[in-house]
Amino acid sequence: MKIDSDGLIQIYVPEFEPGTIADVIVLAPSDTRKKRSLTSIIGKGQGCFACAEEADAFIRKERESWD
């Protein structure tokens, strides 16, 4: 079923009497965008580390600052 440009959906059911209450479920197509794995985005955000060695160095430096 196509949605009209104004968002309208029309359903024709001649066997229903006027005023009949009906439940209608509208399912949109599933997201077809390519899914990215979590590992593909590790290190991409602000404040993240590009590799495990950078994270280890940061943690080591933080621990040393506690003393």
Side-chain angles (χ1 to χ4, degrees):
M1 175 176 291
K2 271 188 144 175
I3 311 280
D4 291 343
S5 62
D6 60 357
L8 183 66
I9 299 173
Q10 294 183 4
I11 301 172
Y12 177 71
V13 187
E15 59 269 10
F16 286 177
E17 294 292 322
T20 300
I21 304 294
D23 292 325
V24 177
I25 299 173
V26 178
L27 302 174
S30 63
D31 191 1
T32 57
R33 292 181 291 170
K34 183 180 176 187
K35 304 289 186 216
R36 295 186 343 181
S37 70
L38 181 59
T39 56
S40 73
I41 61 172
I42 292 175
K44 304 285 187 206
Q46 183 178 2
C48 293
F49 302 101
C51 62
E53 290 78 20
E54 285 184 20
D56 288 340
F58 174 79
I59 293 169
R60 190 175 309 107
K61 183 179 175 186
E62 286 296 308
R63 286 182 179 151
E64 290 169 358
S65 71
W66 296 345
D67 296 332

